[in-house]
């Protein structure tokens, strides 16, 4: 690449000199500059790292863990590529299971009496070879960072051969492996090797929203993500709900508690996050003695929720959510919706207002304090803020969870705050700022806005009118139908998707929108708008699997193209260990690149190129004595 033209434009004025003088402190000699240029140039010409996209995990930890372990089938594909002519199908499946669950697999082999020196040697050799192949797309420096310090020397000696055909080299490596086995370090060594393999298999993990609600262990999912080497998160409406609860939004708190009760996840609150439901339980049993404890608690928190939401809606007319207000319409346990009158059970006229009574306020005060002071929950929400955002533009993909709100004509629409109408990209940026102000600055209006983000019709995380009251109190499912933002009609048409990509400053020809939020049903396709939109919420949540027919979509972007993966439901770890029963994944090639994508073709590559350009200018300045 010719850099001379770029260098000619550098004037070495006062500002330039100041910058390059500072850069010279980091690279004080011509040799230092040259070495770093060589390093960056080599990195730019390596293959692009594999990116893994997942969405709508909804607390389903076991299925999520397995997809993480098999990297949406990448591990099995690499094993087949490396050992197809050497190992049988059964042997390759055994090796894959060892990579997925090394602790459990070793324990099982021990129990069966099959664990011996030969088993260790065979599997360590296979893992070494697999790691070699996976490490080829990275610099040695990056591979080194993936290896725990205590095993760094050993693994480097095993994967970096000096002479493939040397008998001495083979004997040297064999002796290392035999020594590992003889000093009883083989179990730990295998676990470390499998961890490094999984880390090298996927360079970047993108989670496109909704870690929380429905499934029982979102806390374990977040703890797993906190250990990941390179992850980003685009917030979903269920994530923002929990974030709003931690900020102290009472409507969000009531909804979180009701969701946990509705999906029988009380242990998540009480055992994982130390949030007690005892006060709610005592009041509910006292208020509704004719109901069992669980139903009484669910009804009690439902009433508190409707009151809390109603108070916020009345406080903020700019949310334009008056349609959600239903309590004041109830007369003599009946409500008129349209031309149909419905009789309601278990709701008294005293509850038909938008203010909690004294006992309900005491319950909410206690819950609010516990949500805002739960140490573990704060750690998890802090991680969501640290790694998360409303959207992400990366490597020709635009990632967001919900929608880009549009009106009936397909024009951008949003919300008007203090006389300014936020829409399109500006709306996303405004929502991101408000979410951070709510958590870090405790701004009152921003905290209130977390409720709108959760369920507003023009919220980018929701895009629909929730039928909260109807779903709680009316059995007629016709009343449950939720009006959706026109985005969910227009995102099937390419011209509107190109308009959205342009709004976010993306290359319209080469970029894709990666979207979650709406489950893809059996008769639907995850690709929309001539492939410009890829929907990857296919049903991790068990509740949706009857409707979707599958257990989730994930997306893989590697150096040669894009692959969409559809997965069968996960049958449990024990089944995997017993019969090597992996999640069956069907792969669909979405796009094959006309050339292998290199690091220089990525966003990081553009940054590295700029760094290298500055270094070449510094080298030019050194060589001509401009900087000594």
């Amino acid at each position: 690449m010719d850099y001379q033209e770029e260098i000619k434009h550098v004037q070495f004025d006062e500002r330039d000199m100041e910058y390059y003088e500072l850069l010279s402190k980091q690279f004080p000699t011509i040799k230092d500059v040259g070495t770093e240029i060589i390093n960056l140039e080599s990195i730019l010409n390596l293959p692009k790292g594999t990116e893994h996209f997942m969405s709508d995990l909804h607390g389903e930890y076991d299925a999520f863990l397995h997809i993480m372990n098999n990297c949406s089938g990448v591990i099995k594909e690499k094993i087949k590529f490396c050992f197809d002519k050497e190992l049988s199908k059964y042997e390759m499946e055994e090796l894959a299971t060892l990579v997925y669950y090394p602790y459990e697999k070793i324990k099982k082999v021990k129990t069966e009496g099959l664990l011996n020196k030969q088993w260790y040697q065979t599997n360590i050799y296979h893992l070494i070879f697999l790691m070699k192949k996976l490490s080829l797309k990275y610099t040695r420096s990056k591979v080194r960072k993936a290896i725990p310090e205590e095993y760094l020397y050993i693994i480097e000696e095993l994967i970096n051969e000096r002479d493939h055909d040397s008998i001495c080299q083979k004997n040297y490596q064999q002796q290392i492996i035999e020594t590992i086995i003889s000093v009883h370090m083989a179990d730990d060594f295998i676990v470390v090797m499998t961890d490094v393999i999984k880390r090298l298999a996927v360079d970047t993990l993108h989670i496109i929203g909704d870690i929380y609600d429905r499934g029982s262990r979102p806390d374990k999912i977040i703890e797993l993500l906190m250990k990941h080497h390179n992850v980003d998160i685009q917030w979903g409406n269920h994530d923002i709900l929990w974030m709003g609860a931690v900020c102290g939004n009472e409507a969000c708190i009531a909804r979180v508690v009701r969701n946990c009760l509705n999906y029988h996840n009380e242990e998540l609150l009480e055992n994982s996050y130390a949030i007690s439901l005892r006060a709610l339980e005592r009041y509910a049993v006292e208020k509704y003695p004719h109901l069992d404890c669980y139903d009484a608690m669910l009804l009690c928190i439902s009433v508190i929720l409707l009151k809390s939401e109603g108070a916020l809606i009345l406080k903020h007319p700019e949310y334009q959510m008056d349609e959600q207000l239903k309590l004041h319409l109830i007369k003599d346990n009946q409500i008129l919706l349209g031309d149909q009158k419905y009789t309601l059970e278990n709701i008294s006229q005293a509850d038909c207002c938008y203010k909690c009574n004294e006992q309900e306020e005491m319950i909410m005060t206690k819950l609010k304090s516990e949500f805002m002071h739960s140490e573990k929950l704060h750690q998890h929400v802090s991680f969501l803020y640290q790694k998360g955002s409303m959207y992400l533009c990366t490597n020709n993909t635009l990632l967001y969870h919900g929608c880009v709100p549009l009106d009936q004509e397909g024009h951008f629409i949003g919300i008007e705050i203090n006389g300014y109408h936020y829409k399109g990209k500006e709306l996303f940026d405004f929502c991101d700022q408000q979410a951070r102000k709510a958590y870090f600055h405790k701004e009152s209006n921003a905290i209130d806005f977390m409720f709108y983000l959760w369920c507003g019709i023009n919220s980018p995380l929701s895009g629909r009118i929730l039928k909260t009251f109807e779903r709680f109190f009316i059995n007629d499912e016709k009343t449950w139908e939720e009006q959706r933002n026109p985005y969910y009609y227009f995102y099937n048409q390419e011209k509107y998707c190109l308009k959205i990509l342009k709004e976010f400053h993306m290359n319209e020809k080469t970029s894709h929108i990666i979207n979650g939020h709406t489950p893809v049903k059996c008769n639907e396709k995850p690709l929309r708008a001539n492939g410009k939109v890829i929907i990857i919420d296919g049903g991790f949540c068990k509740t949706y699997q009857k409707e979707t027919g599958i257990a989730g979509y994930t997306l893989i972007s590697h150096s040669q193209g894009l692959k969409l993966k559809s997965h069968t439901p996960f049958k449990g770890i024990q089944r995997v260990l017993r019969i090597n029963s992996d999640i069956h994944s069907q792969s669909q090639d979405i796009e094959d690149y006309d050339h292998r994508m290199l690091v220089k073709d990525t966003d990081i590559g553009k940054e590295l190129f700029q760094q290298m350009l500055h270094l070449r200018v510094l080298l030019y300045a050194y060589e001509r004595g401009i900087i000594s």
Side-chain angles (χ1 to χ4, degrees):
M1 191 178 293
D2 185 9
Y3 298 88
Q4 298 304 314
E5 287 300 317
E6 295 284 349
I7 293 172
K8 285 179 183 176
H9 295 295
V10 179
Q11 301 297 317
F12 291 106
D13 56 19
E14 184 177 343
R15 186 174 178 182
D16 284 341
M17 286 297 293
E18 184 178 350
Y19 171 77
Y20 287 107
E21 287 283 4
L22 286 172
L23 190 61
S24 72
K25 304 296 183 187
Q26 188 178 353
F27 302 97
T29 69
I30 287 178
K31 183 179 178 182
D32 293 330
V33 177
T35 301
E36 185 64 11
I37 289 172
I38 293 168
N39 177 46
L40 292 176
E41 188 72 67
S42 62
I43 293 172
L44 287 168
N45 286 281
L46 285 170
K48 162 187 150 359
T50 298
E51 297 175 81
H52 192 185
F53 303 79
M54 304 171 73
S55 176
D56 295 84
L57 312 176
H58 284 302
E60 299 291 351
Y61 174 73
D62 288 344
F64 171 72
L65 175 63
H66 190 75
I67 293 291
M68 286 284 285
N69 283 338
N70 77 0
C71 304
S72 283
V74 170
I75 295 294
K76 186 164 280 188
E77 290 172 0
K78 291 295 182 182
I79 289 174
K80 183 174 174 60
F81 175 78
C82 292
F83 302 107
D84 193 30
K85 295 181 180 178
E86 181 181 344
L87 301 180
S88 67
K89 182 174 182 290
Y90 172 77
E91 289 170 328
M92 287 190 286
E93 288 175 346
E94 283 277 292
L95 180 58
T97 301
L98 178 63
V99 175
Y100 304 160
Y101 302 106
Y103 289 109
E104 296 84 353
K105 186 64 176 177
I106 291 170
K107 183 179 179 181
K108 181 176 182 293
V109 175
K110 279 182 183 176
T111 304
E112 294 170 347
L114 301 175
L115 197 64
N116 53 37
K117 182 179 178 180
Q118 182 60 46
W119 187 92
Y120 278 129
Q121 286 180 328
T122 299
N123 283 286
I124 289 174
Y125 274 119
H126 289 156
L127 293 175
I128 289 168
F129 188 73
L130 187 57
M131 187 185 289
K132 284 180 187 176
K133 291 297 182 183
L134 287 166
S135 66
L136 291 177
K137 63 165 63 177
Y138 303 111
T139 62
R140 285 196 180 187
S141 173
K142 187 161 185 174
V143 174
R144 198 175 295 124
K145 290 174 184 175
I147 302 170
E149 185 66 32
E150 62 270 27
Y151 284 103
L152 180 57
Y153 170 77
I154 297 170
I155 291 177
E156 283 200 315
E157 289 299 298
L158 290 172
I159 67 173
N160 297 324
E161 290 179 330
R162 298 173 184 85
D163 183 354
H164 179 72
D165 296 321
S166 168
I167 298 297
C168 291
Q169 175 75 11
K170 290 179 180 178
N171 290 339
Y172 170 64
Q173 292 186 332
Q174 182 178 344
Q175 188 58 54
I176 291 176
I177 294 171
E178 289 183 2
T179 305
I180 290 169
I181 297 168
S182 69
V183 298
H184 309 295
M185 290 177 64
D187 289 2
D188 286 343
F189 186 68
I190 286 173
V191 170
V192 168
M193 291 279 281
T194 58
D195 284 346
V196 175
I197 285 168
K198 285 178 279 196
R199 179 166 175 169
L200 295 177
V202 170
D203 187 46
T204 307
L205 175 64
H206 306 286
I207 304 294
I208 309 176
D210 278 1
I211 295 168
Y212 276 95
D213 287 334
R214 300 197 180 102
S216 61
R217 298 314 304 263
D219 56 322
K220 290 183 71 175
I221 291 177
I222 288 191
E223 285 168 5
L224 189 61
L225 292 174
M226 289 169 79
K227 298 174 184 174
H228 197 276
H229 58 281
N230 188 14
V231 62
D232 56 70
I233 300 166
Q234 291 71 60
W235 302 321
N237 54 320
H238 287 273
D239 305 319
I240 214 77
L241 180 65
W242 282 74
M243 292 158 67
V246 170
C247 293
N249 184 303
E250 292 188 7
C252 292
I253 290 169
R255 175 71 73 161
V256 164
V257 172
R258 191 188 188 280
N259 283 353
C260 286
L261 285 169
N262 194 40
Y263 290 99
H264 301 283
N265 292 333
E266 303 93 315
E267 288 188 5
L268 173 65
L269 288 177
E270 298 191 315
N271 296 346
S272 298
Y273 291 137
I275 295 169
S276 174
L277 300 180
R278 288 292 297 153
L280 175 65
E281 181 182 352
R282 285 194 298 268
Y283 175 63
V285 170
E286 176 188 323
K287 186 175 182 180
Y288 305 107
H290 59 290
L291 299 176
D292 66 42
C293 180
Y294 169 77
D295 288 338
M297 291 175 70
L298 195 60
L299 178 56
C300 184
I301 197 64
S302 298
V303 171
I304 292 173
L305 170 60
L306 288 168
K307 291 180 177 182
S308 301
E309 288 187 347
L312 267 182
I313 292 168
L314 291 170
K315 181 182 176 182
H316 293 280
E318 70 273 19
Y319 293 174
Q320 297 184 347
M321 295 177 68
D322 287 357
E323 187 179 331
Q324 304 275 42
L325 301 174
K326 296 291 193 301
L327 291 178
H328 68 288
L329 301 177
I330 299 171
K331 304 295 180 186
D332 301 323
N333 290 92
Q334 290 187 323
I335 187 169
L336 182 67
L337 298 178
D339 56 0
Q340 182 70 42
K341 186 173 284 189
Y342 299 93
T343 300
L344 309 174
E345 297 180 3
N346 296 321
I347 186 165
S348 68
Q349 199 65 43
D351 287 326
C352 299
C353 63
Y354 301 107
K355 181 174 174 56
C356 290
N357 62 38
E358 186 177 347
Q359 288 170 293
E360 290 166 343
E361 285 183 355
M362 289 176 62
I363 290 168
M364 288 308 298
T365 298
K366 186 174 185 302
L367 285 171
K368 183 175 178 178
S369 176
E370 291 183 353
F371 267 91
M372 294 183 72
H373 295 96
S374 168
E375 183 178 350
K376 189 173 182 181
L377 183 53
H378 261 285
Q379 289 174 354
H380 291 178
V381 167
S382 177
F383 176 75
L384 289 177
Y385 275 101
Q386 178 191 351
K387 294 292 184 177
S389 58
M390 286 291 297
Y391 69 97
L392 181 67
C393 302
T394 178
N395 296 337
N396 288 326
T397 54
L398 170 59
L399 317 180
Y400 53 79
H401 177 74
C403 67
V404 179
L406 303 172
D407 64 16
Q408 296 292 341
E409 283 74 44
H411 304 305
F412 294 122
I413 195 171
I415 185 170
E416 187 173 313
I417 304 286
N418 296 327
Y420 190 86
H421 191 176
Y422 295 94
K423 58 186 178 180
K425 182 177 178 294
E426 274 193 341
L427 174 63
F428 277 75
D429 292 332
F430 174 75
C431 292
D432 195 293
Q433 292 164 8
Q434 292 300 106
R436 297 183 194 281
K437 285 179 180 179
Y439 185 70
F440 293 108
H441 302 292
K442 309 300 180 190
E443 288 193 10
S444 175
N445 284 335
I447 293 171
D448 291 350
F449 193 73
M450 298 296 275
F451 162 72
Y452 181 84
L453 276 176
W454 148 248
C455 62
I457 180 65
N458 289 333
S459 162
L461 301 182
S462 173
R464 67 179 189 268
I465 298 176
L466 297 189
K467 295 292 185 177
T468 302
F469 178 88
E470 291 83 347
R471 288 175 179 267
F472 288 2
F473 292 106
I474 299 176
N475 293 326
D476 184 356
E477 294 188 11
K478 292 178 184 176
T479 67
W480 297 5
E481 187 175 345
E482 297 174 337
Q483 179 186 337
R484 299 200 300 174
N485 185 274
Y487 167 86
Y488 296 105
Y489 167 76
F490 286 116
Y491 78 164
N492 293 296
Q493 301 178 44
E494 187 174 3
K495 71 174 184 177
Y496 293 102
C497 297
L498 295 176
K499 178 180 177 180
I500 290 170
L501 289 168
K502 184 179 180 181
E503 171 72 8
F504 284 84
H505 313 302
M506 302 291 291
N507 186 312
E508 298 160 62
K509 291 184 179 180
T510 59
S511 297
H512 297 270
I513 296 169
I514 316 297
N515 207 168
H517 193 48
T518 53
V520 182
K521 297 179 182 178
C522 302
N523 60 341
E524 295 178 330
K525 294 182 179 180
L527 296 182
R528 311 284 166 89
N530 198 23
K532 279 296 172 185
V533 176
I534 306 167
I535 311 295
I536 60 170
D537 176 6
F540 261 93
C541 179
K542 292 175 183 176
T543 310
Y544 286 152
Q545 287 175 8
K546 289 181 182 179
E547 186 178 349
T548 62
I550 61 169
Y553 285 99
T554 57
L555 184 71
I556 294 292
S557 170
H558 51 65
S559 60
Q560 294 174 324
L562 285 172
K563 282 189 175 183
L564 185 68
K565 303 274 190 157
S566 62
H567 308 287
T568 55
F570 183 53
K571 302 294 186 181
I573 294 174
Q574 292 308 314
R575 182 179 171 87
V576 178
L577 295 170
R578 189 172 70 252
I579 59 173
N580 298 316
S581 172
D582 201 350
I583 287 179
H584 178 66
S585 302
Q586 290 188 337
S587 182
Q588 177 184 351
D589 289 330
I590 294 176
E591 182 177 354
D592 292 321
Y593 303 139
D594 55 9
H595 68 281
R596 190 170 195 184
M597 293 284 282
L598 305 179
V599 172
K600 65 184 177 183
D601 300 312
T602 67
D603 292 345
I604 289 176
K606 293 171 187 174
E607 294 175 13
L608 295 179
F609 176 81
Q610 287 301 314
Q611 291 178 28
M612 190 163 61
L613 178 60
H614 292 154
L615 287 168
R616 286 186 176 273
V617 173
L618 180 60
L619 182 63
Y620 175 88
Y622 277 162
E623 290 173 342
R624 283 156 180 77
I626 299 170
I627 296 176
S628 60

